[in-house]
Amino acid sequence: MSTTGDKHVHLLENKAQACCRFCGSELRHTFVDLGMSPLCESYLSLEQLNQMEPFYPLHVYVCDRCFLVQLQEYVKPEDIFTEYAYFSSYANTLLEHSRNYTQQMIERLHLDKDSFVVEVASNDGYLLQYFVERNIPSLGIEPAVNIARAAIDKGIPTLIEFFGTECAHRMAVEGKSADLIIGNNVLSQVPNLNDFVEGLKILLKPDGVITIEFPHLMNLITNNLFDTIYHEHFSYFSFSTAEKIFLAHGLVLFDLEELTTHGGSLRIYARHAQDDSKLVSGRVIEFKQREEQAGINDLAYYATFYEQVKETKRKLLDFLIKTKRQGKSIAGYGAPGKGNTLLNYCGIRTDFLDYTVDRNPYKHGKFLPGTHIPIYSPDMISETKPDYVLILPWNLKDEIMEQIGFIREWGGQFIVPIPEVKLYP
Ligand SMILES: [Zn+2]
């Protein structure tokens, strides 16, 4: 598609991106380098298997000034998020989490028919549906056209676009400022972080509240969650770094909760710096101390992760090689983005994994990017009776082991690869 001219511009942009996307410092320290990988959500059709497939670096840096862990913008969000295969409504655990959150926020912020709730990156409306159900005016903003349409069809008003200052200004002018702005698992996905956070500031009513959920960097490091690194995730945050970023845009983080989603996430609560009706909670102070003591503001804390990741790869491959030598069959469960990072980094293809299955019919008949492992409906498991099922979305392992617990009838066992390869008979 691109001409020579475009390529030239692309190179220049890449060079400019070697600076921290928040503070602008030069990026000089590698956090982890997972090599070359395809975009983790670009599932392939049968026809595409014989074509060239783009691979991009998964080289993650840590900024030595603000400690933002980050990936360069190798791929434009427009190329990733405008047609996306991830439909949140297929994960039961997430739906339950969303219903509880809605109840909690309605009570805490006294939301009613005169309030206005905005969710940025609202996916297929899996969360906003619970606000709509309670007659609270809501609006989703979602750039993936196919997913946004699914939300609109369900009766969830949704703008199809990327969020930033431009969108926020327009909404503010139209009188659509928000009492509550929700951003779940989106902060890591914005290349222009400063524009995004400034947009939140613009859209928020003077006494409004922003809640943002993101996977906690300390959990990523402690629990070895390197498979949650993919091109779609440009940034990885500690609370301390998130606080610096929000404060730079006149927003104060006044509360936080620790969540179990995605292997350990934080929900942060932000308000305008001028809004002193909400005191900064003791939890914030305590949590910052915890991070400080762990070494989150010290470069040495980030230096050992890479070696830990390499050792995990060696152990997983050891196990798979041993199992295949015994003549056993292994199938995958799930086709999540994180699975693709893991499989590509470790070089696991159909030589180890016969196939994988997924509940999302959108993926059936397709193949995993890079590894070309075929994706079937979960019925395939009971038809082929594999000796082992490798659970790729390990964050949903309890739900999955319950759903397909019947594999035990033929002596089947579960393998969970992260944080370390572990068997569940
Ligand atoms: Zn920085």
Side-chain angles (χ1 to χ4, degrees):
M1 284 288 283
S2 58
T3 64
T4 316
D6 284 335
K7 273 182 191 161
H8 187 60
V9 171
H10 186 66
L11 282 175
L12 288 176
E13 277 176 353
N14 248 354
K15 201 167 177 218
Q17 277 290 329
C19 293
C20 173
R21 68 169 46 87
F22 166 56
C23 78
S25 299
E26 197 187 327
L27 295 174
R28 291 175 300 182
H29 307 276
T30 291
F31 175 62
V32 66
D33 185 356
L34 300 175
M36 300 292 287
S37 216
L39 294 184
C40 78
E41 295 281 340
S42 15
Y43 298 91
L44 304 171
S45 64
L46 188 63
E47 297 74 43
Q48 286 171 304
L49 291 184
N50 291 337
Q51 292 168 10
M52 271 208 289
E53 198 178 346
F55 276 56
Y56 303 91
L58 267 181
H59 190 157
V60 187
Y61 291 88
V62 56
C63 172
D64 56 16
R65 191 158 143 223
C66 71
F67 300 103
L68 181 64
V69 168
Q70 56 198 293
L71 198 61
Q72 290 182 52
E73 190 186 348
Y74 296 111
V75 193
K76 295 267 164 232
E78 288 78 2
D79 296 333
I80 305 175
F81 297 115
T82 40
E83 164 92 15
Y84 207 56
Y86 187 72
F87 285 80
S88 299
S89 293
Y90 291 101
N92 292 344
T93 313
L94 186 62
L95 291 180
E96 201 184 306
H97 172 75
S98 306
R99 196 182 295 119
N100 293 339
Y101 166 83
T102 306
Q103 184 57 34
Q104 191 185 332
M105 294 315 287
I106 290 173
E107 285 169 17
R108 183 167 176 170
L109 306 180
H110 312 291
L111 301 173
D112 58 25
K113 62 176 176 34
D114 299 319
S115 311
F116 189 48
V117 175
V118 174
E119 187 186 12
V120 178
S122 49
N123 203 273
D124 59 1
Y126 73 97
L127 169 60
L128 282 183
Q129 64 181 340
Y130 299 115
F131 285 99
V132 170
E133 225 172 70
R134 304 283 293 268
N135 297 316
I136 296 166
S138 307
L139 179 73
I141 303 175
E142 169 58 53
V145 181
N146 56 332
I147 292 177
R149 291 255 157 79
I152 294 166
D153 289 346
K154 276 195 282 189
I156 321 287
T158 305
L159 288 180
I160 308 179
E161 63 179 287
F162 284 97
F163 180 76
T165 49
E166 195 193 317
C167 175
H169 270 303
R170 181 164 25 88
M171 286 176 68
V173 167
E174 289 168 6
K176 288 181 185 159
S177 298
D179 296 278
L180 170 64
I181 306 176
I182 307 162
N184 292 347
N185 301 306
V186 59
L187 199 60
S188 59
Q189 303 186 353
V190 287
N192 195 341
L193 193 54
N194 287 316
D195 184 72
F196 182 87
V197 178
E198 185 64 26
L200 296 176
K201 165 94 181 160
I202 293 166
L203 186 60
L204 190 67
K205 277 188 190 166
D207 60 348
V209 169
I210 302 166
T211 74
I212 302 278
E213 289 177 24
F214 57 83
H216 187 206
L217 177 62
M218 233 164 89
N219 281 316
L220 186 150
I221 294 173
T222 311
N223 299 318
N224 201 26
L225 312 182
F226 66 89
D227 61 340
T228 59
I229 293 170
Y230 21 87
H231 298 104
E232 287 83 343
H233 284 181
F234 301 115
S235 314
Y236 304 80
F237 304 88
S238 64
F239 181 83
S240 305
T241 296
E243 188 184 47
K244 282 179 211 155
I245 297 166
F246 277 74
L247 201 57
H249 295 277
L251 295 166
V252 166
L253 303 188
F254 67 96
D255 204 0
L256 81 118
E257 285 169 78
E258 289 180 81
L259 310 168
T260 55
T261 41
H262 299 283
S265 296
L266 296 182
R267 177 185 294 148
I268 55 172
Y269 291 74
R271 57 153 165 90
H272 287 289
Q274 303 88 330
D275 174 12
D276 47 20
S277 67
K278 301 165 191 77
L279 293 176
V280 175
S281 87
R283 278 189 285 198
V284 167
I285 295 151
E286 196 189 306
F287 198 80
K288 270 167 65 180
Q289 278 169 357
R290 227 166 87 193
E291 283 195 342
E292 177 70 37
Q293 277 161 11
I296 209 97
N297 295 316
D298 183 353
L299 213 48
Y301 177 74
Y302 302 86
T304 54
F305 185 67
Y306 194 5
E307 189 48 46
Q308 173 184 317
V309 169
K310 285 188 264 191
E311 183 53 22
T312 308
K313 171 178 177 169
R314 294 189 281 252
K315 280 186 182 156
L316 177 60
L317 286 174
D318 267 350
F319 174 83
L320 294 177
I321 290 167
K322 193 183 83 206
T323 305
K324 289 310 286 182
R325 282 214 172 111
Q326 291 166 354
K328 307 281 190 191
S329 59
I330 312 170
Y333 191 100
K338 59 169 81 69
N340 290 325
T341 295
L342 178 83
L343 300 173
N344 276 294
Y345 173 61
C346 296
I348 299 167
R349 301 184 182 81
T350 48
D351 42 2
F352 290 112
L353 225 54
D354 297 333
Y355 61 85
T356 191
V357 299
D358 200 275
R359 287 174 80 190
N360 181 350
Y362 184 89
K363 296 179 184 172
H364 298 165
K366 295 205 162 119
F367 297 80
L368 298 183
T371 58
H372 295 194
I373 294 168
I375 311 166
Y376 298 109
S377 127
D379 298 339
M380 195 68 169
I381 302 263
S382 49
E383 284 166 30
T384 63
K385 301 186 171 52
D387 298 308
Y388 293 96
V389 173
L390 175 67
I391 298 181
L392 295 169
W394 42 257
N395 51 318
L396 306 173
K397 72 175 190 307
D398 295 335
E399 183 181 330
I400 291 164
M401 286 196 269
E402 204 181 301
Q403 260 172 40
I404 57 162
F406 55 79
I407 72 162
R408 297 186 180 102
E409 287 167 19
W410 60 80
Q413 301 187 47
F414 294 101
I415 313 165
V416 177
I418 299 286
E420 265 194 348
V421 59
K422 195 175 168 194
L423 275 183
Y424 290 82

